[in-house]
Amino acid sequence: MTASQGQAAGRASHRVHVVIYPGFKSMEAVGPVNVLSYANRHLAARGDPRRYDIVLAARQPGMVPSDTLISLEAGPLPEGPLTTVMVAGALDIQAALAREAGLVEWCRRRAFEAERFAALCSGSFFLAAAGVLDGRRAATHWSVAELLQRRFPKVRVDADAIFVQDGSLWTSAGVTAAIDLALAFVEQDFGRDLALAVARDLVIYLKRPGGQSQFSAALTSQMRGPPGMRDIQAWLLANLDRPLRIPDMAARAGMSPRNFTRLFAAELGTTPASYLESARCERAKALLLDGDLPLKAIAFRCGFTSDEQLRKAFLRRFSLTPRDYRDRFRTTLTAR
């Protein structure tokens, strides 16, 4: 049992303040609230009296507009004891910083008074501006990682991390990584089984594979190449379990195999075969981290002809076997 689990076991409720402000990213507030609320449902179903007490807070209480049509009602920033704090990010973080000098000052005063103080996505700029990230490793959204490093050179920015813990301070990557971080808190407080139950309810991974740098095959497919090439990538990702070959891809794109291979490489900087193997490995990583499927079953679900072909692809791309990848993840998860 970790120190945090021991603290959680010793009290009936664990208060979590989710801090918002005008223009906050709605998913970064709603996502963690959903995770913690589902955790409460599972605790109640198990007859466990402990709960998360979830509180929305803002420098100016009332209805707070987000970056979408959603507005949330928040109370004042807390001045009493703090357990867990999660500060949402903003789409225009520089404008938010200019408007929210009071929130920066509050972070400066209170960041080290909480058991866990987390900045979500570009919310890391509030902690950086407060000076509390100086000399510390931190994550943020990939699109503003360079800006964070340039504006606050004393911060050790990790542009690839899903989330980072440095003592009692936590920072996370872009948007949905707030959900990853909330799941990590549930796991730390109540154990892996409860966190996994919540992840299954939400149909997400307990821990997504790879880094946050949006380099997974599914995400890069949305950002690279002209519309026609993005369409073929989306089709490949939806059919990874099929025995796809160059003629299949070319026919789907309405091209000759030779022209398709040339255009694919020119637009994406890789061959269709290499892209397909990468996508299958990404899918395999997700399955390895989120369950106990046999390697042979994972291989077939990802389109490999055998678990040996999966093993060779992993060794080629990651210099370790699928079994080693799964074991290392579990070791990290237990230690965290």
Side-chain angles (χ1 to χ4, degrees):
M1 178 180 291
T2 67
S4 182
Q5 285 175 294
Q7 291 165 349
R11 56 185 170 222
S13 65
H14 183 116
R15 178 159 292 187
V16 179
H17 287 94
V18 179
V19 177
I20 58 177
Y21 46 85
F24 73 95
K25 290 186 178 181
S26 57
M27 189 177 291
E28 291 173 14
V30 174
V33 167
N34 271 274
V35 169
L36 302 177
S37 298
Y38 273 69
N40 283 345
R41 290 177 58 186
H42 280 282
L43 288 167
R46 297 175 182 188
D48 192 321
R50 296 171 296 170
R51 298 289 184 275
Y52 284 110
D53 178 15
I54 310 161
V55 181
L56 294 174
R59 189 173 58 85
Q60 295 181 326
M63 296 302 296
V64 182
S66 73
D67 62 335
T68 67
L69 296 176
I70 296 172
S71 293
L72 298 178
E73 186 171 6
L77 291 175
E79 290 301 334
L82 297 175
T83 306
T84 295
V85 176
M86 305 178 81
V87 181
L91 188 61
D92 188 346
I93 190 59
Q94 297 197 81
L97 277 178
R99 291 192 309 266
E100 296 292 332
L103 178 54
V104 172
E105 178 56 32
W106 183 82
C107 290
R108 180 180 291 115
R109 289 190 295 106
R110 306 297 321 267
F112 293 111
E113 296 179 7
E115 292 178 17
R116 291 184 302 221
F117 200 106
L120 311 174
C121 187
S122 57
S124 56
F125 279 72
F126 287 104
L127 291 184
V132 301
L133 290 181
D134 287 358
R136 295 176 179 269
R137 181 168 162 256
T140 193
H141 192 283
W142 63 269
S143 67
V144 292
E146 184 179 349
L147 176 63
L148 180 65
Q149 189 68 83
R150 187 169 65 248
R151 284 198 59 178
F152 306 101
K154 293 182 181 179
V155 179
R156 295 187 290 119
V157 179
D158 186 337
D160 193 46
I162 296 291
F163 56 80
V164 168
Q165 178 189 5
D166 193 320
S168 62
L169 300 181
W170 298 68
T171 49
S172 75
V175 191
T176 56
I179 296 175
D180 294 274
L181 184 56
L183 283 169
F185 286 172
V186 172
E187 183 189 357
Q188 190 177 70
D189 295 335
F190 300 108
R192 184 179 189 274
D193 288 347
L194 182 63
L196 183 57
V198 173
R200 285 172 173 163
D201 281 346
L202 299 176
V203 197
I204 56 178
Y205 301 120
L206 178 56
K207 177 177 171 65
R208 76 177 80 179
Q212 78 97 7
S213 43
Q214 327 310 329
F215 294 145
S216 73
L219 288 172
T220 41
S221 75
Q222 298 170 18
M223 300 190 294
R224 300 174 63 188
M229 198 57 65
R230 293 200 298 270
D231 289 344
I232 193 66
Q233 291 172 85
W235 178 76
L236 289 173
L237 293 168
N239 293 277
L240 289 178
D241 58 334
R242 293 177 52 189
L244 300 170
R245 295 178 176 83
I246 297 295
D248 302 318
M249 303 179 202
R252 179 75 183 187
M255 304 178 189
S256 69
R258 182 177 179 180
N259 189 44
F260 171 77
T261 300
R262 181 190 60 79
L263 185 61
F264 193 100
E267 294 290 347
L268 302 180
T270 187
T271 67
S274 180
Y275 177 89
L276 186 59
E277 183 181 87
S278 176
R280 283 173 167 157
C281 285
E282 288 294 324
R283 177 71 57 80
K285 284 165 66 177
L287 294 173
L288 285 163
L289 298 181
D290 194 34
D292 296 303
L293 281 174
L295 295 183
K296 184 171 290 187
I298 291 175
F300 290 148
R301 288 192 183 193
C302 298
F304 292 103
T305 57
S306 67
D307 54 342
E308 178 62 17
Q309 188 186 42
L310 169 63
R311 190 184 73 84
K312 289 179 178 178
F314 255 61
L315 284 170
R316 183 163 49 248
R317 292 186 173 273
F318 311 123
S319 298
L320 77 170
T321 67
R323 196 178 304 279
D324 287 340
Y325 182 86
R326 175 179 270 172
D327 290 343
R328 286 190 187 187
F329 163 74
R330 286 176 175 166
T331 300
T332 303
L333 191 64
T334 301
R336 193 170 65 210

